[in-house]
Amino acid sequence: MRGGPPVTDTAGTPSSGTLGPGAGASATGDGLIRRRRRRWTQGAALGGAFLVLAAGGAGWAVYAKLSGNITADEAAAAELARYERERPTPLVRGAQNILLIGSDTRSGAGNGKYGRDQGTERSDTAILLHLAADRKSATAVSLPRDLMVRVPSCRRADGSRSEPTWAMFNYAFAVGGSACSIRTVENLTDIRIDHHVVVDFSGFKEMVDAVDGVQVCLKGPIDDKAAKLKLPAGRVTLDGEQALGYVRARKSLGDGSDTDRMDRQQGFLGALVNKVRSNDVLLNPVKLYPVLDAATSSLTTDPELASLRGLYQLVRGLRDIPTEHVQFLTVPRESYAHDANRDQLVEPAAERLFSRLRTDRPVTVSSKSATKSGNSGRGGNEKSDPSAEPTFHGTTAAENTCG
């Protein structure tokens, strides 16, 4: 299923919680008490915010508004139910796999400025997020939009069905929306997708602005006319518009590759995670509400997540994951054998990664584990000892991007 013949690009225009201390932990010691107090305070702030919003009167109106911001993807749910017997079986109780899709749609409020709406949209960014059953780690795997994959027959928006084809990954979203992307990822990885979230350009910008910007460190100045981005070198706090240009720019930053762009996206998401988790956001209701409003206003999710309660049930166990255990990596890939402008999986590295996610085993990442191209994701121990735990090229939210 992962191999395929050389074909023309059917996609059209080429793409450029931890629940508490361990059972054996001592209940004494000032340091432990302080750490527990900090975790409890952050958890209480989040939980308290939801409880206050759900209370009567004006509080209920706010809760209803936030829940009403989210669009339930009923069409995708119906399409996935049609193929239930073909979908992978979850192997580890409590582990969760969420497909995060950044849509490049130009329709909708605030998105038209990025180009003309041609009636279709593609997955500009796709990330497979694995949450460990014990909620002690989270692993985000970027899937290149140019990755050549087998796309199954999918239901189009007009009700007709496409033919199965070998094409770039982002073709799946263009032809059949989130359901087609999910089925493509499940066929590729044999990992059951439990939830999905789609966010557009406007929603991304609003989230960044809601936390008063996100700081990144630039090795050199940026002057990208296409992205309307002009920034100095050094530490820079990006607002929503700047952040969107930064994570989407491809040809003018780095080596111009999609791999370099994904590395940038991963670093930015790590910085965003740190900003959202900071006390000045979580413990300040004045700042917390706009974050919640922005985080829900442009989301389309599976019906189970399409409410404030549904989202809270998912994220409440994540608040205590150490930033060093929030990991980012790109699926092991290399240039496609029949077209250097496309990607293909590197085996057996890709299957080793998928197997660890399926069975909820730890994934180890290191920024120093890249091989010659820095894209394969194979660690040195993988070559010398196939039975050793593999190390994949990646980063964590704790790493200092300003290095």
Side-chain angles (χ1 to χ4, degrees):
M1 293 298 290
R2 293 180 186 154
V7 296
T8 57
D9 176 12
T10 58
T13 305
S15 289
S16 0
T18 302
L19 300 180
S26 169
T28 63
D30 292 342
L32 178 58
I33 292 174
R34 284 194 297 270
R35 288 195 298 272
R36 284 177 172 171
R37 184 179 296 120
R38 282 197 298 270
R39 288 197 295 265
W40 181 90
T41 302
Q42 289 190 0
L46 281 173
F50 280 92
L51 289 175
V52 169
L53 292 175
W60 175 254
V62 172
Y63 177 88
K65 178 187 182 300
L66 293 175
S67 283
N69 284 344
I70 309 169
T71 301
D73 199 346
E74 301 287 356
E79 177 72 353
L80 292 173
R82 176 188 177 103
Y83 292 94
E84 180 59 37
R85 291 187 178 182
E86 300 177 11
R87 301 183 65 194
T89 300
L91 299 181
V92 180
R93 182 182 178 88
Q96 295 278 291
N97 296 292
I98 302 100
L99 186 62
L100 309 176
I101 300 173
S103 166
D104 70 354
T105 180
R106 267 66 170 178
S107 63
N111 293 315
K113 61 190 294 185
Y114 302 106
R116 185 166 58 89
D117 179 19
Q118 298 179 333
T120 62
E121 55 182 324
R122 301 192 190 183
S123 51
D124 193 62
T125 300
I127 295 175
L128 174 59
L129 175 63
H130 175 78
L131 307 179
D134 61 9
R135 296 300 188 268
K136 292 183 179 179
S137 68
T139 302
V141 181
S142 293
L143 301 172
R145 61 184 183 181
D146 295 346
L147 183 68
M148 297 302 293
V149 296
R150 182 70 64 185
V151 180
S153 171
C154 295
R155 183 183 184 278
R156 297 188 177 96
D158 63 5
S160 64
R161 303 201 71 83
S162 66
E163 293 295 324
T165 188
W166 180 253
M168 294 191 304
F169 173 68
N170 68 350
Y171 173 70
F173 194 72
V175 73
S178 52
C180 193
S181 294
I182 290 169
R183 292 179 58 221
T184 300
V185 171
E186 290 185 339
N187 289 344
L188 182 72
T189 66
D190 200 28
I191 295 171
R192 173 76 174 219
I193 303 300
D194 302 291
H195 301 290
H196 69 277
V197 176
V198 182
V199 61
D200 62 22
F201 292 159
S202 179
F204 175 83
K205 292 191 306 176
E206 289 173 3
M207 182 66 182
V208 174
D209 285 335
V211 296
D212 295 330
V214 174
Q215 187 182 85
V216 297
C217 188
L218 307 178
K219 294 181 179 179
I222 297 175
D223 189 358
D224 187 326
K225 293 180 174 59
K228 299 179 180 179
L229 196 62
K230 189 169 185 178
L231 301 168
R235 294 180 183 271
V236 181
T237 297
L238 304 181
D239 63 22
E241 190 73 35
Q242 293 169 326
L244 181 62
Y246 178 72
V247 300
R248 294 193 69 237
R250 180 172 179 172
K251 297 184 181 298
S252 63
L253 295 181
D255 60 9
S257 69
D258 204 37
T259 297
D260 186 78
R261 188 178 73 117
M262 287 184 292
D263 288 345
R264 224 181 312 122
Q265 291 172 349
Q266 292 165 9
F268 183 85
L269 288 176
L272 179 58
V273 167
N274 286 326
K275 186 64 178 288
V276 171
R277 288 183 55 162
S278 65
N279 287 352
D280 65 330
V281 174
L282 293 180
L283 300 182
N284 187 337
V286 175
K287 290 187 176 182
L288 183 58
Y289 172 76
V291 171
L292 292 175
D293 190 29
T296 56
S297 62
S298 297
L299 293 186
T300 299
T301 76
D302 56 281
E304 189 176 343
L305 287 187
S307 70
L308 207 56
R309 178 183 295 275
L311 285 174
Y312 178 61
Q313 290 295 324
L314 178 66
V315 305
R316 67 176 180 175
L318 307 182
R319 59 183 179 265
D320 289 333
I321 296 180
T323 52
E324 61 268 24
H325 293 162
V326 179
Q327 304 172 127
F328 300 92
L329 67 151
T330 298
V331 65
R333 42 71 60 203
E334 63 187 1
S335 294
Y336 182 44
H338 303 287
D339 186 344
N341 294 317
R342 303 289 178 261
D343 292 329
Q344 66 185 23
L345 294 179
V346 169
E347 298 294 4
E351 175 51 34
R352 296 191 75 178
L353 172 61
F354 298 152
S355 176
R356 299 190 80 82
L357 297 177
R358 276 196 299 271
T359 55
D360 198 34
R361 287 181 291 168
V363 172
T364 302
V365 301
S366 172
S367 59
K368 300 179 181 179
S369 65
T371 54
K372 181 179 179 181
S373 67
N375 297 327
S376 73
R378 290 179 288 184
N381 59 2
E382 190 170 359
K383 288 185 176 180
S384 60
D385 183 2
S387 65
E389 179 177 304
T391 298
F392 299 92
H393 178 55
T395 60
T396 73
E399 292 189 36
N400 184 0
T401 57
C402 293

